[in-house]
Amino acid sequence: RRQMLQRIYGTAFFKKPHLKEHLVRLEEAKKRDHRALGKELELFTTDARVGSGLILWRPKGALVRMEIENYERELILRHGYDLVYTPHVVSERLFEISGHLENFAENMFGAMEVEGARYRPKPMNCPGHIAIYQAGQHSYRDLPIRMAEFGTVYRYERSGVLHGMLRVRGFTQDDAHVFCTGAQVAGEIERLLDLVDEMLATFGYPYTIELATKPEKALGTDEEWAEAEKILADTLNSRGVDFEIDEGGGAFYGPKLDFKLIDAIGRKWQGPTVQLDFNLPERFGLEYVGEDNERHRPFMLHRVLVGSMERFVGGLIEHYAGAFPVWLAPVQVVVLPISEQWTGSAQAVVDRLKEDGIRADLDDRDTLSYRIRQAEMQKVPYMAVVGEREAEAGTVAVRRRGGGRKQEIMDREAFAALVRDRIDTRALEMAPDEPQT
């Protein structure tokens, strides 16, 4: 008689409080599930007719994404980057040169034929940035050259691993590549570490760093890999930064630093990466003219800050439990007239807030209690209630998200200034029921 085997997984805890803590965390994670919150807050959706692993950003989710992209553009322009754009579909020849067809083909979508030539949706942006670098000649005086792009890429992920926004087949990377001399590498990595620090502090993420070393399938020699890994380790050590080793976790073309974001309930998420690449410059024959008038091979750094925009926003939804800081909130203020006769005064408040670039909506449907409940469910940061007293005095009764029934009477100009300040400073102050970051 044939015996059926069943695999059973278990988790053990040394002390009962550890089990209790684990169960609380599981329950909290369930409440923060970005798929449920994404639907409730109307942030994103998927559709079988569009395809598995392909995200449709709804208007509110698109506003969150827009704010993140606008912030990052300002940040990287200040840090000396140039913006570029590359096509979504690229000749297969480019990926033969880069080594992607040799080392990454199982994660790429199949080729399509156009007039006898084979094209593929790009899985990465780096070959396109290399082509832009090679569009002109460069001397040592031009370097470093820093190119950045919000580039959408496509990778074949098996259906079994797809998960909401966290694991998808089409996603946008905030990709950047730095072309520099050997003498500039350490300084550029230092700059990237500063950039990551500033970016993650804005979103309230602490983080850890892992140095990912040569994988089993890789380009280049052991000596080249050892030198590149040493450069990354020495840079971290010189800053006194703690890090762990991720054996075999590097990209096929070079080692990397992986930044693991720690969210509000202690989970780790994949965040920024910094990769040191000595292989692609060699394969593409990149050059610059040195001070000695000889041709030299530049080093190439790959970096992302949010990484996949889809994964980052999905993680943010769970980190904030859907209660975004004011600057990211799709609706920042909802204005509520107590009854129909105060609608005109409430609309004037909306108009005043919009003059300051504040995303404000008027809600005069149904009963006041219903509208307050709706604003709470949509996790709107501020409610501004307008009745007879407020209309006559030029004030609003302000309810803050998570503040319960508590109201504060404020002058309309002072209220607009308060909200604008929270937006301009990208403040992370949280109400009591929001995640403390």
Side-chain angles (χ1 to χ4, degrees):
R1 183 178 172 184
R2 200 170 185 179
Q3 295 288 326
M4 297 294 292
L5 297 177
Q6 183 175 5
R7 181 174 293 175
I8 299 173
Y9 294 92
T11 305
F13 299 89
F14 290 109
K15 295 182 179 180
K16 196 169 183 178
H18 296 164
L19 169 60
K20 186 176 181 181
E21 182 183 338
H22 175 70
L23 294 175
V24 168
R25 184 170 290 184
L26 287 178
E27 188 60 33
E28 186 64 27
K30 186 177 178 182
K31 288 192 296 186
R32 292 167 180 264
D33 190 318
H34 76 283
R35 294 167 298 178
L37 286 171
K39 183 176 181 180
E40 292 169 17
L41 302 178
E42 302 173 356
L43 299 172
F44 74 95
T45 189
T46 56
D47 190 315
R49 296 169 301 176
V50 174
S52 300
L54 300 171
I55 299 300
L56 298 167
W57 295 78
R58 300 182 68 179
K60 289 182 178 179
L63 279 171
V64 175
R65 173 172 170 166
M66 178 196 74
E67 288 289 359
I68 295 170
E69 290 186 353
N70 287 348
Y71 160 68
E72 189 175 344
R73 282 191 186 94
E74 293 170 12
L75 179 66
I76 62 177
L77 288 172
R78 178 158 47 84
H79 278 259
Y81 285 79
D82 294 312
L83 298 177
V84 298
Y85 296 94
T86 59
H88 290 233
V89 179
V90 181
S91 168
E92 193 175 70
R93 174 63 182 143
L94 201 64
F95 301 125
E96 289 175 358
I97 301 170
S98 69
H100 285 92
L101 281 182
E102 176 186 346
N103 295 278
F104 201 72
E106 67 274 12
N107 298 110
M108 297 173 67
F109 280 100
M112 61 189 84
E113 283 217 4
V114 181
E115 297 178 347
R118 291 166 64 86
Y119 289 77
R120 289 197 185 230
K122 62 178 178 179
M124 294 182 181
N125 298 301
C126 34
H129 292 190
I130 287 171
I132 293 174
Y133 178 89
Q134 291 183 304
Q137 294 184 335
H138 305 286
S139 85
Y140 69 96
R141 292 187 181 90
D142 302 322
L143 304 184
I145 291 173
R146 308 181 187 100
M147 296 182 193
E149 174 183 15
F150 289 97
T152 302
V153 297
Y154 304 89
R155 298 181 187 172
Y156 171 49
E157 299 281 4
R158 276 59 180 173
S159 57
V161 301
L162 298 177
H163 182 75
M165 298 182 89
L166 304 183
R167 197 71 178 263
V168 293
R169 288 174 172 164
F171 56 95
T172 300
Q173 284 188 311
D174 59 333
D175 229 343
H177 297 91
V178 179
F179 303 89
C180 60
T181 69
Q184 294 170 333
V185 169
E188 286 303 305
I189 295 173
E190 289 265 7
R191 289 176 65 97
L192 288 171
L193 292 172
D194 290 338
L195 186 56
V196 169
D197 257 346
E198 184 174 351
M199 173 91 173
L200 296 185
T202 299
F203 294 97
Y205 276 123
Y207 62 87
T208 60
I209 302 177
E210 296 176 3
L211 171 51
T213 61
K214 184 181 180 183
E216 188 174 328
K217 199 172 185 180
L219 302 173
T221 66
D222 288 342
E223 292 74 21
E224 289 171 323
W225 276 84
E227 180 186 355
E229 289 165 10
K230 184 177 185 302
I231 291 171
L232 292 175
D234 287 350
T235 305
L236 292 174
N237 286 326
S238 70
R239 288 171 69 102
V241 175
D242 292 331
F243 63 95
E244 298 176 0
I245 300 295
D246 175 15
E247 291 288 352
F252 70 84
Y253 46 77
K256 61 179 179 172
L257 301 179
D258 278 331
F259 296 76
K260 305 295 185 180
L261 314 182
I262 303 171
D263 76 2
I265 59 173
R267 299 172 301 178
K268 287 190 175 183
W269 301 80
Q270 176 61 53
T273 64
V274 176
Q275 302 172 356
L276 176 53
D277 182 3
F278 48 85
N279 274 297
L280 291 186
E282 186 68 33
R283 292 178 73 95
F284 279 90
L286 301 189
E287 293 181 339
Y288 71 92
V289 177
E291 198 168 358
D292 57 3
N293 281 327
E294 298 294 328
R295 296 189 178 276
H296 299 270
R297 192 80 72 217
F299 279 80
M300 184 175 176
L301 291 167
H302 307 243
R303 79 102 183 98
V304 294
L305 294 178
V306 305
S308 158
M309 186 63 68
E310 284 73 7
R311 183 179 62 213
F312 187 76
V313 172
L316 273 187
I317 294 169
E318 301 202 6
H319 181 47
Y320 296 134
F324 291 102
V326 181
W327 74 280
L328 284 175
V331 178
Q332 293 159 332
V333 181
V334 63
V335 182
L336 308 171
I338 288 178
S339 62
E340 187 177 349
Q341 68 190 105
W342 313 119
T343 298
S345 183
Q347 183 61 56
V349 175
V350 172
D351 295 341
R352 173 65 190 85
L353 293 171
K354 286 186 174 182
E355 284 178 13
D356 278 358
I358 297 166
R359 292 190 287 274
D361 285 350
L362 175 73
D363 189 356
D364 58 357
R365 310 164 296 163
D366 217 302
T367 64
L368 180 62
S369 59
Y370 169 82
R371 287 176 277 147
I372 290 173
R373 176 64 180 151
Q374 286 298 110
E376 289 171 346
M377 290 177 63
Q378 287 295 302
K379 303 183 186 292
V380 178
Y382 296 101
M383 287 175 263
V385 181
V386 177
E388 180 178 8
R389 179 179 57 179
E390 291 77 24
E392 290 178 353
T395 59
V396 286
V398 177
R399 287 174 173 247
R400 300 169 191 253
R401 181 176 57 202
R405 294 174 175 270
K406 185 179 178 181
Q407 291 190 162
E408 178 184 358
I409 305 301
M410 294 187 68
D411 174 80
R412 294 180 184 186
E413 291 298 320
F415 176 58
L418 167 70
V419 179
R420 189 66 250 173
D421 176 71
R422 291 292 184 270
I423 295 168
D424 291 342
T425 59
R426 298 187 172 94
L428 284 170
E429 290 92 340
M430 299 293 179
D433 68 337
E434 296 177 54
Q436 302 298 313
T437 56

